[in-house]
Amino acid sequence: MIDHAHDLASVQEATDRLLSAVASLDNAAVARPSRLPGWTVGHVLAHLARNADALANVLDGRPMYASGEARDSDIERDAPRPLDVHLEDLRASHAAFRARAEVPADWTRTVELRNGVTDTADRLPFRRWAEVELHHVDLGAGYELEDLPEEFTEREIDFLADRFLGNPDVPATRITDGARAWRTGRQAPQTEVTVQGRPADLLGWLCGRRDGTALELSGGELPKLPPL
């Protein structure tokens, strides 16, 4: 059961960690390549700020972004800014998102995200939590998938496994860390491949941050997952 208030508190904790990490950087780091192909650290920071704005828009019933082109151009515009400007933008956009999320509302309502994707409002705080945690890792500033909160890692594995569930291009797959198990991929009478590993490695594979070479396979090759 989703507890949006709990997830909002987790967003705050994750954002505090992120802000502390960013504050330890210098202006030269803004132009340094991040772990995301084609993006600098500044691109990642700009995206995080604009995503907070976008989710506030969704809570208000407005389009998440004016357009895909506008989203991309805003990130490109903001990426080269000095570090202190990025920090202030991150703080302000987070505060605005939190203020909007604290307005009494029907959290069971359906909201629309990008590309026609819909969800319930109570899942938006977890989506923001995922943005903050995973992009913190993308900065390459010493925060790794192994450092993520255990609750987040388990829930994000569950979220991503469910995202690929029923996809005909992904084999019927059992995912396990040895203690817990998830299923993903196409509908089939039996599992076609089992993927086992540490939670951080499983999450890294599912979210496209690791190539899966640390995982153990049985029944077939490591499934190729669609881009997120």
Side-chain angles (χ1 to χ4, degrees):
M1 186 173 181
I2 299 295
D3 181 346
H4 71 274
H6 166 81
D7 289 349
L8 284 170
S10 297
V11 170
Q12 183 65 59
E13 293 170 2
T15 301
D16 289 342
R17 286 192 294 272
L18 172 73
L19 291 171
S20 293
V22 174
S24 70
L25 303 176
D26 56 28
N27 275 322
V30 171
R32 187 185 69 209
S34 75
R35 292 178 175 175
L36 293 178
W39 271 17
T40 64
V41 166
H43 283 90
V44 176
L45 299 179
H47 166 63
L48 278 166
R50 301 289 69 79
N51 173 262
D53 293 343
L55 290 177
N57 287 339
V58 172
L59 287 172
D60 275 334
R62 300 193 301 270
M64 190 170 183
Y65 297 98
S67 67
E69 293 77 13
R71 170 190 176 273
D72 295 343
S73 65
D74 284 351
I75 293 171
E76 290 294 335
R77 177 197 67 205
D78 294 343
R81 299 175 303 177
L83 185 68
D84 61 341
V85 179
H86 277 294
L87 268 169
E88 180 55 33
D89 192 14
L90 286 167
R91 293 190 187 102
S93 58
H94 166 69
F97 169 71
R98 276 300 304 260
R100 180 58 190 83
E102 289 168 358
V103 174
D106 175 14
W107 285 93
T108 66
R109 71 191 186 280
T110 298
V111 294
E112 185 171 345
L113 301 161
R114 294 180 66 199
N115 303 320
V117 173
T118 59
D119 207 342
T120 52
D122 60 357
R123 289 173 64 90
L124 293 183
F126 181 76
R127 286 179 177 269
R128 178 59 183 172
W129 188 9
E131 290 284 331
V132 175
E133 294 285 19
L134 293 179
H135 287 313
H136 189 168
V137 173
D138 294 333
L139 294 177
Y143 191 66
E144 304 294 341
L145 293 173
E146 287 79 5
D147 298 317
L148 296 171
E150 181 178 354
E151 178 198 351
F152 170 77
T153 297
E154 181 176 356
R155 288 178 60 187
E156 184 68 357
I157 291 173
D158 185 72
F159 175 83
L160 293 172
D162 185 67
R163 180 166 181 163
F164 300 126
L165 190 64
N167 190 310
D169 296 326
V170 178
T173 303
R174 180 176 183 267
I175 302 168
T176 180
D177 62 2
R180 298 159 293 191
W182 301 263
R183 294 194 177 276
T184 196
R186 58 177 166 251
Q187 298 297 322
Q190 59 186 17
T191 297
E192 298 172 70
V193 59
T194 295
V195 179
Q196 182 168 347
R198 300 182 309 150
D201 290 323
L202 292 171
L203 175 57
W205 166 60
L206 285 166
C207 70
R209 265 77 175 178
R210 292 186 180 171
D211 62 11
T213 54
L215 302 172
E216 298 178 13
L217 306 172
S218 60
E221 298 180 351
L222 185 69
K224 183 177 181 180
L225 301 174
L228 293 175

